[in-house]
Amino acid sequence: MKELAAERNMTIHQVIQKGGLNQATISELMSGRTKHPKVSTILKFCNGLNISLNDFFNSSRFL
């Protein structure tokens, strides 16, 4: 998540604000306490980055 934000010259805070995410949700994901995020959470993160779900999952991090 940090890498995707950094690639777009954004902080995680900027992404979650733009995407309408809850800080606690992102904190749990980034700390590993949440292993299986909801698709709606990933979609909001993508919206914050201005990318599609397809772009997110086609990232080299998943290949």
Side-chain angles (χ1 to χ4, degrees), residues 8-23:
R8 285 153 184 83
N9 297 316
M10 296 177 76
T11 65
I12 289 293
H13 184 72
Q14 290 170 319
V15 174
I16 64 173
Q17 279 189 320
K18 188 174 176 188
L21 285 158
N22 181 305
Q23 177 66 48

Side-chain angles (χ1 to χ4, degrees), residues 6-45:
E7 286 175 6
R8 285 153 184 83
N9 297 316
M10 296 177 76
T11 65
I12 289 293
H13 184 72
Q14 290 170 319
V15 174
I16 64 173
Q17 279 189 320
K18 188 174 176 188
L21 285 158
N22 181 305
Q23 177 66 48
T25 300
I26 294 302
S27 293
E28 288 180 3
L29 282 170
M30 295 182 71
S31 71
R33 288 188 305 261
T34 297
K35 303 277 189 213
H36 305 286
K38 294 178 183 178
V39 173
S40 61
T41 300
I42 297 170
L43 181 58
K44 287 180 181 180
F45 186 77

